Amino acid sequence: MNSKLLEKRGLLAFALVFGLSVGVARASRPQESTFDWLPSNDESTRLDPADYHTGRVFKPGDQAGNVHVDIEAQEPVTVEMAPAEEWSEALRHPELLPRVTFRCVREHVTKTTYTCDVAPGHPMTLVLRDERDSAHTAVTAFGGTFNDRGTVREFVSPNDIHIQYYRWACVQNCNPPRYQWMSELKETYDLTSAPKIYDGITPDRDGEPFSVKMNSPVPMTVAIVPSNLADELRENPDSLASALDKRPCIEKSVRSTAFECTFDLADGPQSFIAVPEAGSTVPPNKKAEVEVIASKCIANCLTDPEK
């Protein structure tokens, strides 16, 4: 056998071995995960002509700054994002409403998937406005279930709306744990000027989201704080303002709100606190509604291998 034939066979064998090794290496690589928008929590509301509804507050870091929401309405609505601080002020002082700077404005919506990019460092509030003429409407509200007298509203021409929120999550090649929104707290209580405190909120994993909803006839401060801090407030209610200062999970001066916070295992037990804003006149025999739900793992949960 001549040398050229041997050389060709040697090159062919090398190519086959090299090709097989590359194929095995490629096959052993993990496939890239696929991400998509998955349903998160949802809410339903009812508006009269020209009414506003305050939706979820999107804070820095939420879903990489993106908003993705399905909206269905019986009558046309305008959907928009407002800076959270500006909107909170408008809720307290309606005369400031014309000064609110809205972004990602979508008009004449009855059914749509609404998206918006939220700039980092600027919490934004989802706002819906009923587009119908309010000339024959008795009252205009910011999406609350109470009117100016603190009683349940009677709607003149109701527009039923459903809002489905979404989260950006892995959907393929990731074997993720399965989560389900489960109730931690749901109660309607007699409103007083004293702080209302509920214990027993504990994260099961790092980064566990908790969704908070609150409806009240008066402006409220709503927060989730470490339980040891709540115990101190029980002993010394006068320290409330300083204790809540710069807390990460808090909304101030709200009558109707829905927002999310996340906690880690190291944060330990948490407590829910709701208290009327200082200077607010609390009407007698009125009630407030509160709900806290948590995204709990129900399948494929990570466990400690040493247990």
Side-chain angles (χ1 to χ4, degrees):
M1 187 176 296
N2 60 46
S3 59
K4 290 186 178 181
L5 182 58
L6 289 173
E7 182 180 354
K8 288 182 179 179
R9 289 184 176 179
L11 290 174
L12 179 60
F14 173 79
L16 288 173
V17 171
F18 179 78
L20 287 172
S21 63
V22 171
V24 170
R26 288 178 176 174
S28 63
R29 294 177 184 175
Q31 293 181 322
E32 292 185 1
S33 299
T34 302
F35 289 81
D36 201 354
W37 292 100
L38 295 181
S40 180
N41 56 317
D42 67 337
E43 61 177 313
S44 296
T45 189
R46 174 172 288 181
L47 299 180
D48 262 335
D51 277 0
Y52 285 84
H53 172 72
T54 301
R56 174 182 162 185
V57 177
F58 290 83
K59 297 186 177 182
D62 287 355
Q63 303 174 157
N66 295 321
V67 178
H68 189 105
V69 183
D70 281 347
I71 296 173
E72 291 190 39
Q74 288 182 314
E75 302 291 341
V77 296
T78 293
V79 187
E80 49 207 351
M81 302 296 296
E85 291 186 3
E86 290 185 23
W87 188 247
S88 293
E89 284 298 308
L91 292 177
R92 297 173 59 190
H93 306 287
E95 67 273 11
L96 299 179
L97 181 60
R99 302 182 186 178
V100 177
T101 305
F102 291 105
R103 289 190 53 203
C104 300
V105 178
R106 291 277 301 276
E107 298 178 320
H108 317 314
V109 170
T110 54
K111 185 176 182 180
T112 190
T113 296
Y114 175 81
T115 60
C116 181
D117 292 332
V118 178
H122 298 282
M124 302 288 285
T125 301
L126 178 69
V127 179
L128 279 70
R129 176 177 61 84
D130 191 297
E131 295 181 355
R132 295 172 296 168
D133 183 13
S134 62
H136 303 291
T137 304
V139 294
T140 298
F142 287 97
T145 58
F146 300 87
N147 63 23
D148 294 337
R149 297 183 299 276
T151 57
V152 177
R153 285 189 57 190
E154 294 183 1
F155 288 86
V156 176
S157 179
N159 179 8
D160 288 324
I161 300 169
H162 182 258
I163 305 171
Q164 175 66 63
Y165 296 98
Y166 287 83
R167 60 186 177 90
W168 185 247
C170 180
V171 295
Q172 189 176 5
N173 301 325
C174 52
N175 191 30
R178 289 177 52 201
Y179 302 104
Q180 180 174 314
W181 289 96
M182 303 179 69
S183 177
E184 294 282 302
L185 165 66
K186 186 173 184 179
E187 186 172 347
T188 300
Y189 67 91
D190 294 326
L191 188 64
T192 68
S193 59
K196 190 69 172 179
I197 302 177
Y198 296 94
D199 298 321
I201 299 174
T202 305
D204 293 337
R205 67 185 187 281
D206 289 342
E208 181 173 330
F210 289 78
S211 177
V212 180
K213 295 182 182 180
M214 181 79 189
N215 283 309
S216 168
V218 299
M220 303 282 288
T221 290
V222 185
I224 296 180
V225 302
S227 293
N228 59 351
L229 181 58
D231 292 337
E232 294 176 8
L233 292 175
R234 288 188 176 97
E235 297 292 331
N236 183 17
D238 293 337
S239 65
L240 179 67
S242 59
L244 296 183
D245 185 38
K246 297 181 180 179
R247 298 304 307 177
C249 185
I250 186 171
E251 290 289 317
K252 296 182 178 180
S253 302
V254 293
R255 292 174 183 258
S256 176
T257 186
F259 63 96
E260 281 190 12
C261 303
T262 59
F263 294 98
D264 294 338
L265 286 169
D267 295 329
Q270 303 289 308
S271 297
F272 172 88
I273 294 179
V275 60
E277 285 290 325
S280 298
T281 300
V282 179
N285 303 320
K286 300 304 176 185
K287 296 182 180 294
E289 302 172 351
V290 58
E291 182 179 12
V292 178
I293 57 176
S295 178
K296 297 294 185 182
C297 182
I298 59 173
N300 303 327
C301 303
L302 298 178
T303 58
D304 188 341
E306 297 181 358
K307 293 183 178 180

